Structures are given as structure tokens and as C-alpha cells.
Amino acid sequence: MKSTEIKSKFKRRLSWGWKQKSRTQSCPAKPLLTGKIVAITGGNEGIGLATVRGLLQREAEVIMLSRNQQKSEKVIETLEGSVHFVKLDLGDISTIEKTIEDLENVLNGRKIDILINNAGIASRNSHRVSPQGYEFIFAVNVLGHHVLFKKCHEKGLLTSNAQIIAVTGDLYIEANDCTPDYDGSDMQAYARSKVGVMWWAYECHRLFPEYKVNIVHPGVVPFGLNANKESFAIKLMSSLMLSPEGGAQTTLICATQPNIETGAYYHNTLGKVILPEDDVALKADASKAFWHILEEIYDKDLRV
Ligand SMILES: NC(=O)c1ccc[n+]([C@@H]2O[C@H](COP(=O)([O-])OP(=O)(O)OC[C@H]3O[C@@H](n4cnc5c(N)ncnc54)[C@H](OP(=O)(O)O)[C@@H]3O)[C@@H](O)[C@H]2O)c1
């Protein structure tokens, strides 16, 4: 995969719109993932569902970790291959212990080779805060995934050299912090949560060198993230931007292709991104402090 050194925010913002379809790399059909177990959050819709289809085409066994059981089971009926559903509500971390029990039952002594943290929301709808009192977009996009990863790690559900793929959004450059108590607009809360995903992934890479950690910007898929599918603007954008299948390509490349580097950030049109030194994602002190906050929440709300 090509790599791009980023010099200006202008070039990045341009990359979100310019020639999305023709510049997004497609994942080759091989190598296959035969015998591998892939767990993916939010695999019942949008980019996640297209990723599940791509994984099944490559013969992986897939565990779809999603909140909406009825929707997931309906979708699974349309899929060919080995897929299991395990209920996961990232927005309420008190429920994740039960998810882990269900996951253990499905795994039945086997382990997860690839964990894809794909689920994400960009608006709070009726929820302002999670049941534990944290800003809701942060709770789903970052905290829930942290708890899921930590519990999988602590229970030994990941292979010793598992791959963790964290799906972010390059829009994160529009924010400069991530905290559990943000009280502003949905758009800024979303950008901040994606700063959180970047910091989380860099810290995960530093603290758990046994795992291969990759960060993915999937590209812009206008129908995702609760977009109004009837809106004229969304219909127009979707003719110019990516389909969910296009949005799945970068995650599939990271999950299957050789020479994917651990700790690196992959972008649908820019390839491996070499970030400028002053990029918010590279603030090492901030990402360490952020991980510490996640751990404090984990200890306070979840340890028994
Ligand atoms: N679409 C874009 O243009 C774009 C751009 C950059 C980055 N991304 C990132 O790509 C990822 C996928 O986006 P998408 O466009 O495919 O989104 P989407 O179509 O809106 O799908 C979101 C998925 O997240 C799941 N989800 C939502 N809340 C959840 C919760 N509380 N617990 C568990 N799962 C939950 C949903 O499943 P349920 O309905 O079952 O809850 C659904 O499967 C996100 O991380 C997003 O930030 C998207």
C-alpha cells in the first residue's frame, strides 16, 4: 500500500471528498482468512456489514457484535458463511460482562484472531449521556470499545498475536481533545470521539506490543451514521462518494494483506498516513492521560 506524508490540513480535507470512488484502493480477493475468527462491532449495517461480507468471502468465521438483535438476525439470514450474533451494547458498559459470557460460549475454547472496533455513532438522538453518566458519543465510540477490548484481553479471548483494528474518522483533525464529559455539538463530540479512537489505538499499540494494532479511516459513506437517506443532499453525495462496500476496503486490506504495519494509520485514499509532528493524534502525553481516564472509569464502574 502506498504511503502519504501529510503536510497540510487542506490536503486532508480535500481527501474526504475528492475522487473518493476512483482513489479508494480495493482489497485483493486473496489471501484468504480460512480458519480465522474475526469479531466485529456494528457488523449489521453500513460499512460494518460490508466488511462482514468481505470477511465471509475470504472464508473467515465472523462474530457480529451488535446491539440490535432482531436487525442482526435478519441480516445474518442473507449472509453465506459462518456468522454468529452476540449482543453488545457499547453505550452501557454494565452490559458488557454478559456480552463476554456469550462470546465465551460462541468461542467454546477458541480465540479471536482479529477484533474490529467498527461500530460508531455521530449523533446522540435522545441520549445525552450513558447510563453511567458519560457523554454518549464518547461512551459508544471509545469507552465501550475499551471495555470490550480489556475484557477480551483479561479473559484470554484473543490469540497471543491478535490483530486489533480501530475504525476512526479522519474528521478527528477538527477536534483537539477527547473527554468523557463534553457538552457541545454532536459534530464536535463525534470528532472528539475519533481523537479518542486515535489516542486509544496508539496507547493500545504501546502497552500491548504482542498485538498488531491498526487504525483505519474508511472513507466517506454518506448513507452511514444515521444520515437521512431521503435527503436530496445525501442522495447527491452518495452518487459521488463511497458505497458501504467501498468503505469496507481499507479495513479488509488491513485484515488480510501482508506488510500492514502495526501502530500505523491507514486511510482509504492516502494509504499509510505519516502524520505531521503537531497532529493532535500524536500528542503522547495526552494519549497516556486519556488511557488513564479510561482505566479509572473501568476500575470505578466495572471491577467487582
Ligand atoms: N460513514 C462515513 O462516512 C464514515 C466516515 C469515517 C468514519 N466512519 C466510521 O466507520 C464506522 C462505521 O460507520 P457506518 O457509516 O457504517 O455507520 P452506520 O451505518 O451508522 O452503522 C453503525 C453501526 O454501529 C452499531 N452501533 C451503534 N450504536 C451501537 C451500540 N450502542 N452498541 C453496539 N453497536 C452499536 C450499529 O448497530 P445497531 O443498530 O445494532 O446498534 C451499526 O451496525 C464508524 O466507526 C464511523 O465513525 C464512517
Side-chain angles (χ1 to χ4, degrees), residues 42 44 47 67-68 71 89-90 118 168 190 194 219 221 224-225:
N44 63 10
I47 296 168
R67 179 183 47 168
N68 188 327
K71 181 168 100 183
D89 185 353
L90 291 160
N118 161 81
T168 187
Y190 176 71
K194 293 303 181 180
V221 177
L225 298 170

Side-chain angles (χ1 to χ4, degrees), residues 31-42:
L32 297 177
L33 291 168
T34 317
K36 301 271 183 207
I37 301 181
V38 185
I40 177 167
T41 66

Side-chain angles (χ1 to χ4, degrees), residues 106-128:
V106 167
L107 286 167
N108 196 17
R110 301 172 307 152
K111 291 177 192 279
I112 296 165
D113 296 283
I114 306 175
L115 173 64
I116 304 177
N117 291 345
N118 161 81
I121 56 167
S123 64
R124 299 183 186 99
N125 296 326
S126 55
H127 305 276
R128 299 263 339 149

Side-chain angles (χ1 to χ4, degrees), residues 156-274:
L157 301 187
L158 301 168
T159 58
S160 57
N161 59 351
Q163 183 179 17
I164 317 295
I165 300 177
V167 179
T168 187
D170 207 46
L171 191 80
Y172 81 81
I173 60 167
E174 305 300 346
N176 55 24
D177 201 358
C178 181
T179 53
D181 58 354
Y182 181 68
D183 192 20
S185 72
D186 279 5
M187 189 45 89
Q188 187 55 209
Y190 176 71
R192 289 168 67 98
S193 78
K194 293 303 181 180
V195 170
V197 171
M198 302 295 290
W199 284 347
W200 181 87
Y202 284 128
E203 276 304 286
C204 186
H205 168 60
R206 191 178 68 80
L207 297 168
F208 299 88
E210 66 272 37
Y211 299 137
K212 178 176 181 180
V213 181
N214 299 116
I215 318 170
V216 164
H217 167 67
V220 179
V221 177
F223 275 168
L225 298 170
N226 276 349
N228 175 2
K229 297 179 176 57
E230 297 310 315
S231 121
F232 174 72
I234 293 291
K235 281 184 180 161
L236 180 68
M237 269 173 75
S238 60
S239 65
L240 303 169
M241 302 289 182
L242 288 180
S243 63
E245 288 66 34
Q249 298 307 306
T250 311
T251 298
L252 291 170
I253 288 171
C254 286
T256 60
Q257 297 305 300
N259 307 321
I260 295 297
E261 285 173 35
T262 184
Y265 174 35
Y266 291 92
H267 181 293
N268 72 306
T269 62
L270 302 176
K272 191 182 107 182
V273 177
I274 299 160

